Amino acid sequence: MITRWNSILFMIRSVLKLSPEDFKQLIKTLPTATLKQREAIKLFRITEIEREMLTELVDLLEIFEWLTNEFQTNKVSSSRVYPTIMSVKHKLSDQNQSFNHTVQLREDLLKS
């Protein structure tokens, strides 16, 4: 099944809203009757590194969310295309921000 990128963005934002304590509370509500269920619970955690990675991914996808919102109306003129693309390129290559986990993805997106 193909999921649209913006749906993934919404899901990631929802996960990031959960605190470690929220995750612990959710884990307590999960069924543990079978081995498969117990194994799934072990995977139902997010480390700090994973949280950082997801946060960077959200920052990256928000650029495209903005772009999508800019162009999804019928009132878009071609004169807005170039400045918007330049803005996206600038945001992708922003040297003032520190990226640890999305550097290669950003470079690949800039190339494309």
Side-chain angles (χ1 to χ4, degrees):
M1 179 165 114
I2 297 175
T3 304
R4 294 178 184 219
W5 69 267
N6 56 350
S7 297
I8 294 170
L9 174 60
F10 298 140
M11 286 186 282
I12 295 170
R13 282 181 179 149
S14 296
V15 167
L16 289 174
K17 286 180 184 177
L18 296 172
S19 69
E21 187 58 39
D22 292 333
F23 272 101
K24 288 178 186 175
Q25 293 300 322
L26 281 172
I27 289 170
K28 289 178 184 176
T29 65
L30 296 175
T32 59
T34 68
L35 178 62
K36 193 171 185 177
Q37 289 171 334
R38 289 189 295 275
E39 291 297 320
I41 288 174
K42 291 178 185 176
L43 301 173
F44 196 74
R45 289 177 176 79
I46 292 183
T47 65
E48 277 306 309
I49 291 173
E50 290 168 331
R51 188 172 286 276
E52 287 174 21
M53 293 169 84
L54 289 173
T55 301
E56 278 191 34
L57 187 57
V58 166
D59 290 342
L60 178 64
L61 291 176
E62 283 176 343
I63 297 169
F64 293 94
E65 179 183 40
W66 169 78
L67 180 68
T68 302
N69 291 337
E70 285 294 307
F71 288 117
Q72 67 184 359
T73 68
N74 291 332
K75 299 177 183 178
V76 175
S77 71
S78 59
S79 65
R80 291 187 57 206
V81 173
Y82 182 76
T84 306
I85 297 300
M86 293 310 294
S87 177
V88 168
K89 287 179 108 175
H90 175 73
K91 290 177 182 184
L92 285 173
S93 61
D94 187 357
Q95 300 299 318
N96 294 326
Q97 288 187 310
S98 174
F99 305 113
N100 297 317
H101 309 288
T102 57
V103 174
Q104 187 61 51
L105 179 56
R106 289 171 186 275
E107 289 174 7
D108 292 345
L109 288 167
L110 269 168
K111 288 176 187 175
S112 2

